[in-house]
Amino acid sequence: MTGWERQQKSRMLGEATISSRLALLRRFSDFAESYPWSWTPGDVEDFTISLTSGEARLAPSTIRGYHLTLRMFCDYLTDARYEWPCQCRDRFGSVPSQVCHEWNTVAHLNEYEGRPERRPLTYDEVQRLFDYADEQVERITASRRKGALAALHDAQMIKPVTRSGYAATSCVASTWPTFDRTPTCATGAPTGRCTCATARPFAAASRGGGRC
C-alpha cells in the first residue's frame, strides 16, 4: 500500500483521492480478513453484497468507484515491473491476482447514475425549454395582460444559466439590469458615458455590497 501511495503521488493525484483509496483498501482487507496476496474474487463479491444490503446500501456509482479502486490496486500489485508477485511468492508462498473482473464488478451502462432529479437535460430538452420560455413572452404580449416583462426576464435568464453554468442562485435573485452613469474614467476625468447593462445579484445589491 505504501508503494501504491508513492505511485499515485508520482502521478500528481490529490491527497484526498489517495487517502480515500487507501482507506477503502484497509476496509476491504478487514472485511476479507486476509492480506492482498490472498484476496479472491469471492471476497469482492461478498463485499459488494454487503454494500448493497440493508438501509445503508450504497448507490451503484459509488460501488463502481470502489471496484475501480480495487482493480487499480490489483493491477499495481500484479505488475511485474514492481516485483510484488515474486516477493509475495518468496515470502508468503502465495502470488497476488486480479480479483476484479467483468463478471463481479459494476459496469458503467448508463450515462447518468445519480439521482433522477439532478439529471442534466439533453440537447433537445434544453431547446424545448428555451422555446417554451420564448413562447410565454409572445403569449402574454398577445393577450395584453401584465407579466410580459417578467416572462422576458425569465427567458433571458434561463439561457445563460443553462448554456454556461452561471450560478443559479445569483441568477434567480437577480433584478433587471440597470444603466449606471460613469462620471469619471480611470484617470478621474469626467466622461459622461454610461456603463453597459449588467445584472445585479441580490448579494451584490444588499446593504454593504458593491456593484457586480
Side-chain angles (χ1 to χ4, degrees):
M1 289 187 184
T2 302
W4 194 49
E5 179 182 10
R6 186 166 55 248
Q7 183 207 61
Q8 293 180 92
K9 288 182 177 179
S10 179
R11 295 167 55 195
M12 303 299 292
L13 299 182
E15 291 291 338
T17 299
I18 298 174
S19 44
S20 64
R21 289 177 175 177
L22 295 177
L24 174 64
L25 292 179
R26 295 188 180 94
R27 177 181 175 184
F28 180 76
S29 184
D30 292 340
F31 178 87
E33 297 182 343
S34 61
Y35 291 108
W37 51 86
S38 300
W39 291 349
T40 66
D43 293 329
V44 177
E45 293 152 17
D46 292 340
F47 184 63
T48 302
I49 293 174
S50 71
L51 299 176
T52 57
S53 58
E55 297 181 355
R57 58 182 177 272
L58 302 180
S61 57
T62 302
I63 296 177
R64 193 181 73 247
Y66 287 178
H67 288 165
L68 179 61
T69 296
L70 292 173
R71 186 193 298 272
M72 288 189 297
F73 175 71
C74 289
D75 284 341
Y76 163 78
L77 192 63
T78 57
D79 193 327
R81 289 172 292 189
Y82 292 99
E83 299 184 355
W84 283 116
C86 295
Q87 292 286 344
C88 292
R89 181 196 60 197
D90 297 341
R91 297 186 184 190
F92 313 113
S94 179
V95 178
S97 62
Q98 176 57 265
V99 297
C100 296
H101 53 79
E102 64 274 15
W103 296 110
N104 68 348
T105 55
V106 179
H108 191 182
L109 301 177
N110 299 321
E111 184 176 354
Y112 180 75
E113 297 179 337
R115 290 182 295 173
E117 63 270 18
R118 295 183 61 85
R119 177 184 65 82
L121 299 178
T122 64
Y123 178 85
D124 292 337
E125 289 172 338
V126 171
Q127 189 59 52
R128 287 200 299 270
L129 174 63
F130 291 166
D131 293 342
Y132 176 80
D134 292 336
E135 289 171 1
Q136 294 307 300
V137 179
E138 298 175 0
R139 182 182 62 81
I140 297 175
T141 302
S143 66
R144 298 182 180 277
R145 299 179 61 181
K146 293 182 179 180
L149 196 61
L152 178 61
H153 174 261
D154 293 341
Q156 295 300 321
M157 284 299 180
I158 286 174
K159 295 174 183 178
V161 168
T162 308
R163 287 173 174 167
S164 63
Y166 179 74
T169 52
S170 297
C171 187
V172 170
S174 295
T175 59
W176 268 104
T178 57
F179 286 93
D180 293 332
R181 181 171 297 279
T182 305
T184 60
C185 64
T187 60
T191 61
R193 295 179 297 177
C194 293
T195 60
C196 61
T198 54
R200 297 178 60 193
F202 176 78
S206 61
R207 183 183 298 274
R211 302 182 188 279
C212 64

